[in-house]
Amino acid sequence: MYSVRLKKGKEKAVKQLHPWIFSGAIEQVKGKPENGDIITLTDYNNDFLAYGFYNDQSRVAVRLLEWNQETEINESWWRKKIQKAVGARQDLIQKEDTNTYRLIFSEADFLPGLIVDRFADFLSVQLLTSGVERIKPILLDELQQLLKPKGIFDRSDASSRTHEGLEASSGGVLSGIEPPEFLTVKENGILYDVNIVQGQKSGFYCDQRDNRRLVADYAKGKRMLDCFSYSGGFTLNALKQGVLEVVSVDSSALALETLKRNIEINKFNKIPHRFIQSDVNKQLRQFRESDEKFDIIVLDPPKYAPSRSALTKASRAYKDLNRMAMLLLKEGGLLATYSCSGAVNISLFKQIMAWAALDAGKEVQFIHQFCQPSDHPIRSSFPEGEYLKGLLCRVG
Ligand code: SAH
């Protein structure tokens, strides 16, 4: 087996079970491993540290898999890791009212670069590292045995694969039958038509499952504004819980079309709702000009800070967005605000909200903190896996 030797003093994080080795920490690569090959990682003194897979195209040159020297990384090792991840979702798999969630979440499940989502009878797979690309046949077979899906299809994100020096995947069906263009899934007892072919990311943002239900409890009998609504996660939960009226804003026509379908298939048509296809920032200003006010506002924007270098700009964007929303709330109104930027941690997010409150001339109380759900676990040795956070604010 090839081996990779670390520079002096670079072994500390590895010993704390952190799974990433950046290329700058490497003293020497012994032999010529191909990308995706399993290597032995040693410290500067050549003492064993861990096994991982190698990729000289990636910023993360080694992704660690196993810290026990006696354990061989073979087919049965991979199968066990897959079984363990799926087994940890048993509570979700047993649920009657939900059939869409994440079954495997990359490093968080000790399978770097592998993401598997369930959409009712179908599974979507993302293979984002050269290491997991190689285990595709084992993965498909194990998933078939464990979950017996009607079909498994590839939804590997092209830009993540490019970062790893991998060719864009051809996509499409990997096993079984092709999913229909609109697949109906269920979450919290609500039906969603997911457009697998064109939908964003994995066609549905299952990471907000718990938060949608929590917010809906506060929306009863209120006038709600759902910004960045996509196919209506927050809107539909609020409609189910008896919101008085909802306005949903998104810049994507396809998202709003899907939201309309979702309202129909759930028979929520009786409650007043409005869809606005617009840039949220522009729309918030327009509401301000027309003096339109709401009891509760949801802000679930896309990732503003893809990396730490974008933090200053992103912080300003979050602040401006939240300040505008605060100005549209009635006295004592609620703002459910999220950030899915890993670089923005909860304390910075609170700080941003404090700046927004000051600029808006409002007093804000944080009454609830949101995080990612149990199918998106955060490994204690891998804090980078924590990305979704949110605050429920009472704005006075
Ligand atoms: N809240 C949604 C998920 C939001 S994903 C849910 O529960 O499912 C982010 C959404 O923001 C996407 O639908 C995207 O189309 C939309 N979006 C991105 N930038 C936008 C902008 N400037 N104005 C309005 N919508 C935007």
Side-chain angles (χ1 to χ4, degrees):
M1 195 187 287
Y2 300 111
S3 69
V4 170
R5 183 171 155 233
L6 287 183
K7 285 185 179 157
K8 223 175 224 168
K10 291 289 182 189
E11 67 284 351
K12 190 164 166 232
V14 180
K15 287 188 171 163
Q16 290 167 354
L17 310 184
H18 193 280
W20 286 353
I21 303 295
F22 290 100
S23 49
I26 294 175
E27 174 74 26
Q28 185 188 12
V29 178
K30 295 185 187 168
K32 281 204 170 70
E34 281 181 24
N35 292 336
D37 276 351
I38 303 283
I39 57 93
T40 302
L41 184 78
T42 68
D43 65 10
Y44 187 76
N45 300 322
N46 293 312
D47 286 331
F48 175 87
L49 288 171
Y51 298 118
F53 50 68
Y54 180 74
N55 187 345
D56 67 3
Q57 297 289 300
S58 169
R59 205 168 55 98
V60 183
V62 182
R63 291 175 196 265
L64 299 175
L65 300 164
E66 178 60 62
W67 282 257
N68 182 354
Q69 191 168 9
E70 312 306 319
T71 306
E72 194 189 333
I73 299 181
N74 51 21
E75 179 169 337
S76 120
W77 186 94
W78 289 107
R79 285 187 189 271
K80 275 192 202 126
K81 282 283 186 273
I82 297 164
Q83 288 160 10
K84 199 167 171 195
V86 172
R89 270 77 173 176
Q90 275 312 317
D91 54 335
L92 276 170
I93 294 172
Q94 308 285 324
K95 272 186 164 221
E96 299 259 307
D97 70 348
T98 299
N99 63 14
T100 185
Y101 35 78
R102 182 146 290 182
L103 286 163
I104 298 179
F105 185 33
S106 202
E107 275 87 353
D109 283 300
F110 306 90
L111 289 163
L114 177 62
I115 293 175
V116 180
D117 290 317
R118 177 178 175 202
F119 295 96
D121 294 330
F122 292 84
L123 300 179
S124 87
V125 168
Q126 299 190 52
L127 298 152
L128 307 176
T129 52
S130 46
V132 294
E133 173 82 13
R134 294 206 185 168
I135 64 148
K136 199 148 104 181
I138 302 174
L139 172 73
L140 296 179
D141 182 65
E142 191 59 42
L143 289 175
Q144 197 63 44
Q145 287 190 38
L146 288 173
L147 297 145
K148 307 195 171 39
K150 283 188 182 158
I152 305 178
F153 57 95
D154 187 355
R155 286 228 16 136
S156 300
D157 173 63
S159 77
S160 309
R161 283 180 63 95
T162 313
H163 286 311
E164 283 276 309
L166 287 165
E167 284 171 27
S169 73
S170 51
V173 179
L174 299 173
S175 83
I177 61 165
E178 194 167 339
E181 187 189 352
F182 280 102
L183 191 63
T184 306
V185 299
K186 202 164 40 169
E187 181 196 86
N188 302 338
I190 295 168
L191 302 174
Y192 293 81
D193 266 356
V194 179
N195 185 333
I196 296 296
V197 189
Q198 293 163 39
Q200 292 152 358
K201 206 164 86 171
S202 46
F204 186 66
Y205 297 91
C206 62
D207 55 1
Q208 287 282 30
R209 176 178 55 251
D210 296 347
N211 300 335
R212 290 170 181 140
R213 207 189 26 222
L214 276 161
V215 169
D217 283 340
Y218 288 92
K220 249 171 248 170
K222 298 204 177 122
R223 187 155 192 267
M224 174 164 141
L225 172 64
D226 180 10
C227 297
F228 309 94
S229 65
Y230 189 49
S231 59
F234 287 94
T235 295
L236 295 162
N237 277 268
L239 286 169
K240 189 180 180 200
Q241 289 305 320
V243 68
L244 192 65
E245 184 191 349
V246 199
V247 181
S248 315
V249 184
D250 200 286
S251 55
S252 150
L254 181 71
L256 291 178
E257 245 172 66
T258 314
L259 167 53
K260 283 178 201 167
R261 285 173 73 108
N262 289 342
I263 287 182
E264 270 167 36
I265 59 173
N266 285 285
K267 303 193 174 62
F268 289 152
N269 310 54
K270 289 207 179 70
I271 304 167
H273 48 264
R274 236 160 88 200
F275 315 95
I276 303 176
Q277 188 193 344
S278 170
D279 174 82
V280 164
N281 291 284
K282 219 162 93 191
Q283 190 55 41
L284 294 183
R285 280 189 182 86
Q286 227 158 60
F287 284 137
R288 181 123 169 89
E289 276 161 26
S290 54
D291 203 25
E292 211 170 325
K293 293 266 165 102
F294 300 88
D295 302 303
I296 178 163
I297 299 180
V298 177
L299 294 176
D300 185 20
K303 199 194 279 181
Y304 282 176
S307 65
R308 294 195 61 83
S309 59
L311 214 46
T312 312
K313 201 168 153 225
S315 302
R316 202 173 313 125
Y318 281 120
K319 190 196 80 175
D320 289 343
L321 177 71
N322 280 281
R323 178 184 58 87
M324 281 305 296
M326 285 175 189
L327 294 171
L328 298 178
L329 281 168
K330 292 180 193 158
E331 178 64 27
L334 296 176
L335 174 60
T337 182
Y338 299 90
S339 161
C340 58
S341 304
V344 177
N345 62 29
I346 185 75
S347 32
L348 174 59
F349 198 48
K350 282 183 184 160
Q351 181 62 66
I352 292 169
M353 294 305 290
W355 291 325
L358 269 181
D359 278 9
K362 301 280 182 187
E363 188 59 69
V364 162
Q365 293 168 308
F366 302 134
I367 58 173
H368 187 88
Q369 279 188 29
F370 302 101
C371 59
Q372 58 210 63
S374 62
D375 51 339
H376 292 65
I378 303 155
R379 224 169 102 183
S380 62
S381 51
F382 184 60
E384 290 85 345
E386 181 170 9
Y387 69 100
L388 179 63
K389 68 223 60 88
L391 292 163
L392 184 62
C393 311
R394 189 181 286 123
V395 181

mmCIF file of all heavy atoms in Angstrom, residues 88-118:
data_model
loop_
_atom_site.group_PDB
_atom_site.id
_atom_site.type_symbol
_atom_site.label_atom_id
_atom_site.label_comp_id
_atom_site.label_asym_id
_atom_site.label_seq_id
_atom_site.Cartn_x
_atom_site.Cartn_y
_atom_site.Cartn_z
ATOM 1 N N ALA A 88 -28.801 3.965 11.194
ATOM 2 C CA ALA A 88 -28.979 5.101 12.104
ATOM 3 C C ALA A 88 -30.215 5.931 11.743
ATOM 4 O O ALA A 88 -30.629 6.793 12.514
ATOM 5 C CB ALA A 88 -27.732 5.974 12.073
ATOM 6 N N ARG A 89 -30.785 5.681 10.554
ATOM 7 C CA ARG A 89 -32.001 6.431 10.132
ATOM 8 C C ARG A 89 -33.261 5.608 10.363
ATOM 9 O O ARG A 89 -34.311 5.939 9.816
ATOM 10 C CB ARG A 89 -31.905 6.780 8.647
ATOM 11 C CG ARG A 89 -31.244 8.116 8.334
ATOM 12 C CD ARG A 89 -29.778 8.051 8.460
ATOM 13 N NE ARG A 89 -29.112 9.273 8.020
ATOM 14 C CZ ARG A 89 -27.799 9.453 8.118
ATOM 15 N NH1 ARG A 89 -27.033 8.507 8.648
ATOM 16 N NH2 ARG A 89 -27.250 10.580 7.713
ATOM 17 N N GLN A 90 -33.164 4.522 11.129
ATOM 18 C CA GLN A 90 -34.328 3.640 11.281
ATOM 19 C C GLN A 90 -35.568 4.385 11.763
ATOM 20 O O GLN A 90 -36.682 4.122 11.321
ATOM 21 C CB GLN A 90 -34.017 2.476 12.228
ATOM 22 C CG GLN A 90 -33.341 1.297 11.544
ATOM 23 C CD GLN A 90 -34.021 0.862 10.253
ATOM 24 O OE1 GLN A 90 -35.250 0.769 10.158
ATOM 25 N NE2 GLN A 90 -33.223 0.613 9.217
ATOM 26 N N ASP A 91 -35.370 5.359 12.681
ATOM 27 C CA ASP A 91 -36.531 6.102 13.188
ATOM 28 C C ASP A 91 -37.246 6.838 12.060
ATOM 29 O O ASP A 91 -38.476 6.915 12.016
ATOM 30 C CB ASP A 91 -36.123 7.060 14.312
ATOM 31 C CG ASP A 91 -34.985 7.994 13.889
ATOM 32 O OD1 ASP A 91 -34.210 7.630 12.974
ATOM 33 O OD2 ASP A 91 -34.887 9.090 14.459
ATOM 34 N N LEU A 92 -36.466 7.347 11.111
ATOM 35 C CA LEU A 92 -37.073 8.050 9.970
ATOM 36 C C LEU A 92 -37.696 7.050 8.992
ATOM 37 O O LEU A 92 -38.788 7.267 8.464
ATOM 38 C CB LEU A 92 -36.013 8.862 9.231
ATOM 39 C CG LEU A 92 -35.693 10.251 9.782
ATOM 40 C CD1 LEU A 92 -34.458 10.815 9.099
ATOM 41 C CD2 LEU A 92 -36.880 11.195 9.569
ATOM 42 N N ILE A 93 -36.966 5.927 8.763
ATOM 43 C CA ILE A 93 -37.439 4.927 7.803
ATOM 44 C C ILE A 93 -38.794 4.349 8.258
ATOM 45 O O ILE A 93 -39.664 4.057 7.445
ATOM 46 C CB ILE A 93 -36.362 3.820 7.617
ATOM 47 C CG1 ILE A 93 -35.120 4.436 6.948
ATOM 48 C CG2 ILE A 93 -36.877 2.639 6.797
ATOM 49 C CD1 ILE A 93 -33.892 3.532 6.875
ATOM 50 N N GLN A 94 -38.972 4.233 9.576
ATOM 51 C CA GLN A 94 -40.225 3.677 10.121
ATOM 52 C C GLN A 94 -41.397 4.648 10.008
ATOM 53 O O GLN A 94 -42.542 4.265 10.187
ATOM 54 C CB GLN A 94 -40.073 3.364 11.622
ATOM 55 C CG GLN A 94 -38.880 2.507 12.003
ATOM 56 C CD GLN A 94 -39.063 1.059 11.644
ATOM 57 O OE1 GLN A 94 -40.157 0.566 11.747
ATOM 58 N NE2 GLN A 94 -38.006 0.404 11.201
ATOM 59 N N LYS A 95 -41.105 5.925 9.792
ATOM 60 C CA LYS A 95 -42.165 6.934 9.848
ATOM 61 C C LYS A 95 -43.189 6.760 8.733
ATOM 62 O O LYS A 95 -42.819 6.471 7.600
ATOM 63 C CB LYS A 95 -41.551 8.336 9.733
ATOM 64 C CG LYS A 95 -41.155 8.907 11.053
ATOM 65 C CD LYS A 95 -40.698 10.333 10.874
ATOM 66 C CE LYS A 95 -40.709 10.966 12.244
ATOM 67 N NZ LYS A 95 -41.188 12.257 12.307
ATOM 68 N N GLU A 96 -44.456 6.985 9.079
ATOM 69 C CA GLU A 96 -45.521 6.881 8.076
ATOM 70 C C GLU A 96 -45.677 8.190 7.333
ATOM 71 O O GLU A 96 -46.054 8.200 6.167
ATOM 72 C CB GLU A 96 -46.845 6.561 8.788
ATOM 73 C CG GLU A 96 -46.822 5.264 9.548
ATOM 74 C CD GLU A 96 -47.506 4.149 8.785
ATOM 75 O OE1 GLU A 96 -48.662 4.366 8.396
ATOM 76 O OE2 GLU A 96 -46.881 3.083 8.588
ATOM 77 N N ASP A 97 -45.419 9.303 8.020
ATOM 78 C CA ASP A 97 -45.776 10.600 7.419
ATOM 79 C C ASP A 97 -44.614 11.242 6.655
ATOM 80 O O ASP A 97 -44.734 12.358 6.176
ATOM 81 C CB ASP A 97 -46.314 11.554 8.503
ATOM 82 C CG ASP A 97 -45.232 12.008 9.473
ATOM 83 O OD1 ASP A 97 -44.120 11.431 9.461
ATOM 84 O OD2 ASP A 97 -45.498 12.947 10.246
ATOM 85 N N THR A 98 -43.465 10.547 6.566
ATOM 86 C CA THR A 98 -42.294 11.122 5.899
ATOM 87 C C THR A 98 -41.575 10.028 5.108
ATOM 88 O O THR A 98 -41.266 8.979 5.674
ATOM 89 C CB THR A 98 -41.327 11.727 6.949
ATOM 90 O OG1 THR A 98 -42.010 12.775 7.647
ATOM 91 C CG2 THR A 98 -40.071 12.298 6.313
ATOM 92 N N ASN A 99 -41.354 10.261 3.813
ATOM 93 C CA ASN A 99 -40.575 9.275 3.048
ATOM 94 C C ASN A 99 -39.504 9.928 2.184
ATOM 95 O O ASN A 99 -39.113 9.408 1.146
ATOM 96 C CB ASN A 99 -41.486 8.369 2.212
ATOM 97 C CG ASN A 99 -42.268 9.143 1.167
ATOM 98 O OD1 ASN A 99 -41.962 10.294 0.878
ATOM 99 N ND2 ASN A 99 -43.267 8.510 0.588
ATOM 100 N N THR A 100 -39.000 11.071 2.654
ATOM 101 C CA THR A 100 -37.857 11.686 1.983
ATOM 102 C C THR A 100 -36.890 12.225 3.023
ATOM 103 O O THR A 100 -37.294 12.947 3.932
ATOM 104 C CB THR A 100 -38.300 12.778 0.984
ATOM 105 O OG1 THR A 100 -37.154 13.260 0.289
ATOM 106 C CG2 THR A 100 -39.035 13.928 1.640
ATOM 107 N N TYR A 101 -35.638 11.831 2.931
ATOM 108 C CA TYR A 101 -34.606 12.235 3.894
ATOM 109 C C TYR A 101 -33.249 11.784 3.386
ATOM 110 O O TYR A 101 -33.140 11.087 2.385
ATOM 111 C CB TYR A 101 -34.861 11.631 5.290
ATOM 112 C CG TYR A 101 -35.449 10.253 5.251
ATOM 113 C CD1 TYR A 101 -34.649 9.160 4.986
ATOM 114 C CD2 TYR A 101 -36.826 10.060 5.406
ATOM 115 C CE1 TYR A 101 -35.192 7.896 4.910
ATOM 116 C CE2 TYR A 101 -37.379 8.795 5.323
ATOM 117 C CZ TYR A 101 -36.559 7.715 5.074
ATOM 118 O OH TYR A 101 -37.097 6.467 4.977
ATOM 119 N N ARG A 102 -32.219 12.223 4.118
ATOM 120 C CA ARG A 102 -30.848 11.867 3.739
ATOM 121 C C ARG A 102 -30.457 10.561 4.427
ATOM 122 O O ARG A 102 -30.552 10.454 5.656
ATOM 123 C CB ARG A 102 -29.910 13.012 4.143
ATOM 124 C CG ARG A 102 -28.482 12.764 3.740
ATOM 125 C CD ARG A 102 -27.791 14.047 3.374
ATOM 126 N NE ARG A 102 -28.324 14.572 2.107
ATOM 127 C CZ ARG A 102 -27.891 15.662 1.505
ATOM 128 N NH1 ARG A 102 -26.916 16.359 2.045
ATOM 129 N NH2 ARG A 102 -28.432 16.076 0.375
ATOM 130 N N LEU A 103 -30.008 9.599 3.647
ATOM 131 C CA LEU A 103 -29.614 8.304 4.213
ATOM 132 C C LEU A 103 -28.124 8.245 4.514
ATOM 133 O O LEU A 103 -27.697 7.555 5.442
ATOM 134 C CB LEU A 103 -29.956 7.185 3.223
ATOM 135 C CG LEU A 103 -31.442 6.848 3.118
ATOM 136 C CD1 LEU A 103 -31.700 6.045 1.850
ATOM 137 C CD2 LEU A 103 -31.925 6.091 4.339
ATOM 138 N N ILE A 104 -27.323 8.935 3.692
ATOM 139 C CA ILE A 104 -25.878 8.957 3.919
ATOM 140 C C ILE A 104 -25.395 10.391 3.695
ATOM 141 O O ILE A 104 -25.720 11.006 2.669
ATOM 142 C CB ILE A 104 -25.137 7.991 2.965
ATOM 143 C CG1 ILE A 104 -25.604 6.546 3.208
ATOM 144 C CG2 ILE A 104 -23.620 8.100 3.155
ATOM 145 C CD1 ILE A 104 -24.972 5.497 2.304
ATOM 146 N N PHE A 105 -24.672 10.919 4.690
ATOM 147 C CA PHE A 105 -24.250 12.317 4.619
ATOM 148 C C PHE A 105 -22.737 12.425 4.754
ATOM 149 O O PHE A 105 -22.200 12.869 5.759
ATOM 150 C CB PHE A 105 -24.965 13.128 5.706
ATOM 151 C CG PHE A 105 -24.698 14.614 5.650
ATOM 152 C CD1 PHE A 105 -24.487 15.263 4.446
ATOM 153 C CD2 PHE A 105 -24.690 15.374 6.809
ATOM 154 C CE1 PHE A 105 -24.247 16.633 4.395
ATOM 155 C CE2 PHE A 105 -24.454 16.755 6.771
ATOM 156 C CZ PHE A 105 -24.227 17.375 5.562
ATOM 157 N N SER A 106 -22.046 11.915 3.736
ATOM 158 C CA SER A 106 -20.627 12.190 3.544
ATOM 159 C C SER A 106 -19.792 11.987 4.816
ATOM 160 O O SER A 106 -19.963 10.982 5.501
ATOM 161 C CB SER A 106 -20.521 13.618 2.996
ATOM 162 O OG SER A 106 -19.323 13.831 2.322
ATOM 163 N N GLU A 107 -18.910 12.926 5.130
ATOM 164 C CA GLU A 107 -18.018 12.783 6.289
ATOM 165 C C GLU A 107 -18.792 12.503 7.576
ATOM 166 O O GLU A 107 -18.297 11.786 8.454
ATOM 167 C CB GLU A 107 -17.177 14.057 6.502
ATOM 168 C CG GLU A 107 -15.907 14.124 5.681
ATOM 169 C CD GLU A 107 -16.112 14.722 4.313
ATOM 170 O OE1 GLU A 107 -17.270 14.970 3.933
ATOM 171 O OE2 GLU A 107 -15.111 14.927 3.603
ATOM 172 N N ALA A 108 -19.968 13.079 7.702
ATOM 173 C CA ALA A 108 -20.750 12.900 8.936
ATOM 174 C C ALA A 108 -21.062 11.421 9.173
ATOM 175 O O ALA A 108 -21.259 10.991 10.308
ATOM 176 C CB ALA A 108 -22.038 13.710 8.860
ATOM 177 N N ASP A 109 -21.120 10.643 8.090
ATOM 178 C CA ASP A 109 -21.362 9.203 8.201
ATOM 179 C C ASP A 109 -20.100 8.399 7.877
ATOM 180 O O ASP A 109 -20.200 7.228 7.503
ATOM 181 C CB ASP A 109 -22.512 8.790 7.279
ATOM 182 C CG ASP A 109 -23.861 9.183 7.869
ATOM 183 O OD1 ASP A 109 -24.168 8.708 8.970
ATOM 184 O OD2 ASP A 109 -24.579 9.990 7.256
ATOM 185 N N PHE A 110 -18.954 9.043 7.989
ATOM 186 C CA PHE A 110 -17.661 8.381 7.774
ATOM 187 C C PHE A 110 -17.499 7.873 6.333
ATOM 188 O O PHE A 110 -16.774 6.923 6.083
ATOM 189 C CB PHE A 110 -17.456 7.237 8.790
ATOM 190 C CG PHE A 110 -17.614 7.705 10.210
ATOM 191 C CD1 PHE A 110 -18.844 7.676 10.846
ATOM 192 C CD2 PHE A 110 -16.524 8.223 10.897
ATOM 193 C CE1 PHE A 110 -18.995 8.133 12.151
ATOM 194 C CE2 PHE A 110 -16.664 8.681 12.202
ATOM 195 C CZ PHE A 110 -17.897 8.640 12.831
ATOM 196 N N LEU A 111 -18.219 8.498 5.391
ATOM 197 C CA LEU A 111 -18.121 8.121 3.979
ATOM 198 C C LEU A 111 -17.891 9.394 3.144
ATOM 199 O O LEU A 111 -18.810 9.897 2.500
ATOM 200 C CB LEU A 111 -19.412 7.404 3.543
ATOM 201 C CG LEU A 111 -19.600 5.994 4.124
ATOM 202 C CD1 LEU A 111 -21.036 5.522 3.999
ATOM 203 C CD2 LEU A 111 -18.655 5.007 3.435
ATOM 204 N N PRO A 112 -16.656 9.914 3.169
ATOM 205 C CA PRO A 112 -16.385 11.221 2.556
ATOM 206 C C PRO A 112 -16.753 11.290 1.078
ATOM 207 O O PRO A 112 -16.269 10.503 0.280
ATOM 208 C CB PRO A 112 -14.863 11.384 2.718
ATOM 209 C CG PRO A 112 -14.475 10.448 3.797
ATOM 210 C CD PRO A 112 -15.439 9.301 3.740
ATOM 211 N N GLY A 113 -17.617 12.231 0.757
ATOM 212 C CA GLY A 113 -17.972 12.457 -0.639
ATOM 213 C C GLY A 113 -19.159 11.651 -1.124
ATOM 214 O O GLY A 113 -19.487 11.697 -2.300
ATOM 215 N N LEU A 114 -19.792 10.928 -0.219
ATOM 216 C CA LEU A 114 -20.951 10.132 -0.633
ATOM 217 C C LEU A 114 -22.233 10.672 0.019
ATOM 218 O O LEU A 114 -22.323 10.788 1.239
ATOM 219 C CB LEU A 114 -20.763 8.666 -0.219
ATOM 220 C CG LEU A 114 -21.952 7.748 -0.531
ATOM 221 C CD1 LEU A 114 -22.229 7.685 -2.025
ATOM 222 C CD2 LEU A 114 -21.702 6.345 0.011
ATOM 223 N N ILE A 115 -23.191 11.022 -0.833
ATOM 224 C CA ILE A 115 -24.486 11.489 -0.334
ATOM 225 C C ILE A 115 -25.587 10.652 -0.970
ATOM 226 O O ILE A 115 -25.594 10.446 -2.186
ATOM 227 C CB ILE A 115 -24.688 12.990 -0.663
ATOM 228 C CG1 ILE A 115 -23.675 13.828 0.147
ATOM 229 C CG2 ILE A 115 -26.116 13.444 -0.354
ATOM 230 C CD1 ILE A 115 -23.691 15.294 -0.171
ATOM 231 N N VAL A 116 -26.470 10.120 -0.138
ATOM 232 C CA VAL A 116 -27.602 9.355 -0.655
ATOM 233 C C VAL A 116 -28.877 9.905 -0.023
ATOM 234 O O VAL A 116 -28.966 10.070 1.198
ATOM 235 C CB VAL A 116 -27.469 7.849 -0.314
ATOM 236 C CG1 VAL A 116 -28.671 7.078 -0.860
ATOM 237 C CG2 VAL A 116 -26.176 7.268 -0.887
ATOM 238 N N ASP A 117 -29.843 10.239 -0.867
ATOM 239 C CA ASP A 117 -31.129 10.741 -0.391
ATOM 240 C C ASP A 117 -32.235 9.804 -0.820
ATOM 241 O O ASP A 117 -32.169 9.207 -1.898
ATOM 242 C CB ASP A 117 -31.417 12.131 -0.979
ATOM 243 C CG ASP A 117 -30.501 13.202 -0.415
ATOM 244 O OD1 ASP A 117 -30.268 13.197 0.806
ATOM 245 O OD2 ASP A 117 -30.020 14.036 -1.201
ATOM 246 N N ARG A 118 -33.258 9.694 0.015
ATOM 247 C CA ARG A 118 -34.420 8.896 -0.373
ATOM 248 C C ARG A 118 -35.539 9.825 -0.845
ATOM 249 O O ARG A 118 -35.821 10.841 -0.208
ATOM 250 C CB ARG A 118 -34.912 8.070 0.823
ATOM 251 C CG ARG A 118 -36.156 7.286 0.470
ATOM 252 C CD ARG A 118 -36.666 6.407 1.599
ATOM 253 N NE ARG A 118 -37.930 5.809 1.159
ATOM 254 C CZ ARG A 118 -38.862 5.337 1.959
ATOM 255 N NH1 ARG A 118 -38.679 5.356 3.262
ATOM 256 N NH2 ARG A 118 -39.980 4.830 1.482
#
